[in-house]
Amino acid sequence: MSEKKVSLLEGFKAFLTRGNVIDLAVAVVIGAAFTNIVNAVVKGVINPLVGAFGTQDLDSYSSCLQGPCTTDPKTGEMDGIEILWGSVLSAAIGFLITAAVVYFLMVLPMAKYLARRAAMQAAKEGVRETLEVSELEVLKEIRDALVAQRTGGAPGSDGPGSGEGPGAAGGEAAGPRADR
């Protein structure tokens, strides 16, 4: 039974230390802090701008679906069905501001950075590939020169003294070599 506890704890530890879990936790904390900023902008800037055309608080915009929508002063109950569309509008504006800030300040710059980085990586790969091709060409030239030196002719050709060394060219008979 202690083995199961150890494996459960190890699994939990691996889950917590996995990179994407930590990234998600950081994103949630930053998102919560960012929500406060957006709410302050909506309530401090957007609502007063909308208030220039009506009330300063979007939450007070409402419509009555059925009945006169009056509040009984004795009981505090609402007569009729009230639709609070001002709070929905306020939330939608807050969402649009949040989405715009996230896109223009985070997503777009990161996409440009990643595209620039990918282009640089592709350029490096192209240079590396060119270097590899040129190294291969140099090695082929060295090989051909060594073959030509051994055979006494041009690389790939069977000259008159093929296989007998450099002194066998020109139709002369090659003598025995001391190095064989």
Side-chain angles (χ1 to χ4, degrees):
M1 190 174 251
S2 65
E3 290 178 4
K4 283 189 176 183
K5 287 183 181 178
V6 172
S7 65
L8 286 175
L9 290 177
E10 287 176 2
F12 184 66
K13 181 181 175 185
F15 171 74
L16 288 179
T17 57
R18 201 177 319 159
N20 53 359
V21 173
I22 294 171
D23 291 344
L24 181 61
V26 169
V28 167
V29 169
I30 289 177
F34 187 69
T35 300
N36 291 332
I37 294 171
V38 170
N39 287 338
V41 168
V42 168
K43 290 185 190 240
V45 177
I46 303 297
N47 285 352
L49 289 175
V50 172
F53 303 106
T55 181
Q56 289 188 351
D57 186 16
L58 285 177
D59 292 337
S60 65
Y61 285 109
S62 64
S63 296
C64 193
L65 185 64
Q66 180 182 15
C69 286
T70 57
T71 306
D72 187 10
K74 295 178 184 175
T75 61
E77 291 183 14
M78 174 73 66
D79 292 335
I81 300 173
E82 186 177 27
I83 305 290
L84 302 172
W85 59 269
S87 58
V88 174
L89 180 63
S90 178
I93 290 172
F95 172 77
L96 289 175
I97 290 172
T98 303
V101 168
V102 166
Y103 180 76
F104 289 113
L105 295 182
M106 295 178 196
V107 173
L108 192 62
M110 183 59 77
K112 286 183 180 181
Y113 168 74
L114 291 176
R116 205 172 29 234
R117 188 172 176 195
M120 287 175 39
Q121 188 69 17
K124 283 183 182 178
E125 289 296 322
V127 168
R128 184 176 299 145
E129 188 174 301
T130 303
L131 287 175
E132 289 174 2
V133 168
S134 62
E135 287 176 3
L136 184 61
E137 292 298 321
V138 169
L139 290 173
K140 285 180 181 179
E141 289 176 11
I142 292 171
R143 179 200 63 202
D144 293 343
L146 288 173
V147 167
Q149 196 176 34
R150 280 190 187 160
T151 62
S157 68
D158 293 328
S162 176
E164 294 297 326
E172 301 172 8
R177 291 181 58 178
D179 62 339
R180 286 195 183 180

